[in-house]
Amino acid sequence: TGDPNKGNEQYNKLITEYKDKPSLPSNMCFIGDTYLRAGDANTAKSLYDNVLQVWPKDPQSIFAKAGMAKIDLSFDRDNDAKQIIDEIINSYKDNPDIAEAIFGIGDYCRSMAITEREKEVSEANPYNSSYQFLKTGEKVKKYYTKACVAWERIIQDLPESDKIAQAYRFAGECYGVLGQSDKMIENYQIVVDKWPQYNLAWHLQFMIGRHYEMVKRNGKMTESEADTIIKQAYERLIQNYPNCPPAKGVIRWLDSYNARVKGGQL
């Protein structure tokens, strides 16, 4: 609600009326995350500390550890955050929520990047159409980079889980914002190759084709080279996801491409 007094009242009610509930530690971590996203790192830290002190052996304490890493990343204490993530990976290796906890660290950094980007846009001159192409600021890049680091840890250090595909997808998105398009495409391609049933695999397959359409428009690749890659990406999209939202537009592109080939324009 934005009312600190109301928040404290609800917190006190939570720890008194629900003290015996097994979900209380994770709920407290969720509240801590809410405070942190609102910019109140001190209250968030108090909540995480409380969980770690009262329930040190509870499996849900992993989210308090992750919360501490988020605070460190907020204050650019990246090495401290890395040590916490190392500890999570080494000490909670049998915890089924380990991927979820580390994924949350990346998601927090991504949300901070989005918030910073919104600030940049809101501060730009709304009467100047060039604000749409506003250069990405250093704070935005910083948080996207931090997010990539967290998701790479899931990819590299954790056993197979449903979070792996998500980590590849979001890391790819962040690499795209950072201008590392090769890494973006590589990550998207891994998802569609290894997890074709992933709920957004169709979107990633489509984005591979769209990326090369933009590359062609920007003159960074010859039309024939780009069209060959786009054709392969879009044909695979239609083959595997014929009813996906962009299917009609993709079919029109393929029909146009085939017509140009038949007409000797390519």
Side-chain angles (χ1 to χ4, degrees), residues 3 59 120 175 180 204 210 252:
D3 183 346
E120 291 176 353
Y175 283 130
Q180 301 179 45
L204 303 185
R210 285 286 294 168
R252 284 195 297 270

Side-chain angles (χ1 to χ4, degrees), residues 15 18 45-46 48 60-61 64 112 156 184 226 235 237 251:
I15 61 175
Y18 299 92
K45 184 178 184 302
S46 296
Y48 300 143
Q60 298 302 301
S61 66
M112 293 298 292
Q156 296 171 11
M184 177 188 75
E235 283 180 339
L237 179 72
I251 290 172

Side-chain angles (χ1 to χ4, degrees), residues 27-65:
N27 288 334
M28 289 181 66
C29 290
F30 174 79
I31 296 170
D33 289 346
T34 302
Y35 273 107
L36 183 58
R37 289 175 187 269
D40 188 348
N42 289 330
T43 300
K45 184 178 184 302
S46 296
L47 288 162
Y48 300 143
D49 277 335
N50 188 285
V51 170
L52 293 171
Q53 291 171 10
V54 178
W55 299 279
K57 297 183 179 180
D58 191 288
Q60 298 302 301
S61 66
I62 192 173
F63 293 107
K65 284 284 186 182

Side-chain angles (χ1 to χ4, degrees), residues 2-258:
D3 183 346
N5 293 326
K6 187 68 173 177
N8 291 331
E9 177 186 329
Q10 292 300 315
Y11 167 68
N12 291 329
K13 180 179 180 181
L14 180 70
I15 61 175
T16 53
E17 294 186 15
Y18 299 92
K19 61 181 179 180
D20 296 325
K21 294 288 184 179
S23 61
L24 182 56
S26 61
N27 288 334
M28 289 181 66
C29 290
F30 174 79
I31 296 170
D33 289 346
T34 302
Y35 273 107
L36 183 58
R37 289 175 187 269
D40 188 348
N42 289 330
T43 300
K45 184 178 184 302
S46 296
L47 288 162
Y48 300 143
D49 277 335
N50 188 285
V51 170
L52 293 171
Q53 291 171 10
V54 178
W55 299 279
K57 297 183 179 180
D58 191 288
Q60 298 302 301
S61 66
I62 192 173
F63 293 107
K65 284 284 186 182
M68 292 297 196
K70 295 172 190 176
I71 291 175
D72 283 335
L73 289 168
S74 298
F75 292 97
D76 294 330
R77 299 192 294 260
D78 292 15
N79 287 334
D80 292 340
K82 179 184 180 300
Q83 290 179 9
I84 293 174
I85 294 174
D86 287 342
E87 182 183 350
I88 289 173
I89 290 173
N90 294 326
S91 302
Y92 293 83
K93 60 181 64 177
D94 296 324
N95 190 312
D97 293 320
I98 186 170
E100 180 73 33
I102 297 178
F103 188 91
I105 297 172
D107 190 52
Y108 168 73
C109 293
R110 176 178 175 270
S111 71
M112 293 298 292
I114 292 171
T115 298
E116 290 296 334
R117 183 58 177 173
E118 289 173 348
K119 289 180 183 177
E120 291 176 353
V121 173
S122 67
E123 292 169 1
N125 185 351
Y127 300 103
N128 181 355
S129 61
S130 65
Y131 86 93
Q132 298 176 45
F133 308 101
L134 190 66
K135 184 178 179 180
T136 302
E138 291 305 313
K139 282 188 177 181
V140 177
K141 292 179 181 178
K142 177 182 70 175
Y143 279 114
Y144 273 126
T145 299
K146 292 173 190 282
C148 286
V149 170
W151 286 320
E152 289 289 355
R153 296 300 299 272
I154 295 174
I155 292 167
Q156 296 171 11
D157 298 329
L158 298 186
E160 193 78 17
S161 74
D162 60 353
K163 286 295 178 185
I164 301 288
Q166 283 184 279
Y168 272 112
R169 173 211 161 187
F170 281 105
E173 174 192 296
C174 292
Y175 283 130
V177 176
L178 292 169
Q180 301 179 45
S181 57
D182 288 347
K183 282 191 173 183
M184 177 188 75
I185 295 300
E186 178 185 351
N187 279 28
Y188 287 176
Q189 194 67 58
I190 288 172
V191 175
V192 298
D193 287 345
K194 293 186 66 175
W195 296 278
Q197 301 306 314
Y198 176 63
N199 66 328
L200 286 174
W202 66 267
H203 174 69
L204 303 185
Q205 183 67 63
F206 174 66
M207 291 304 296
I208 292 172
R210 285 286 294 168
H211 169 72
Y212 285 101
E213 285 200 60
M214 289 186 286
V215 168
K216 180 176 69 173
R217 283 199 295 269
N218 292 334
K220 296 181 179 179
M221 184 178 285
T222 66
E223 183 174 352
S224 60
E225 289 175 330
D227 280 348
T228 298
I229 299 174
I230 297 166
K231 175 177 177 291
Q232 292 172 346
Y234 284 167
E235 283 180 339
R236 186 173 181 182
L237 179 72
I238 297 304
Q239 178 182 355
N240 294 333
Y241 313 102
N243 299 315
C244 67
K248 290 183 179 179
V250 167
I251 290 172
R252 284 195 297 270
W253 188 96
L254 289 170
D255 287 344
S256 174
Y257 174 85
N258 291 329

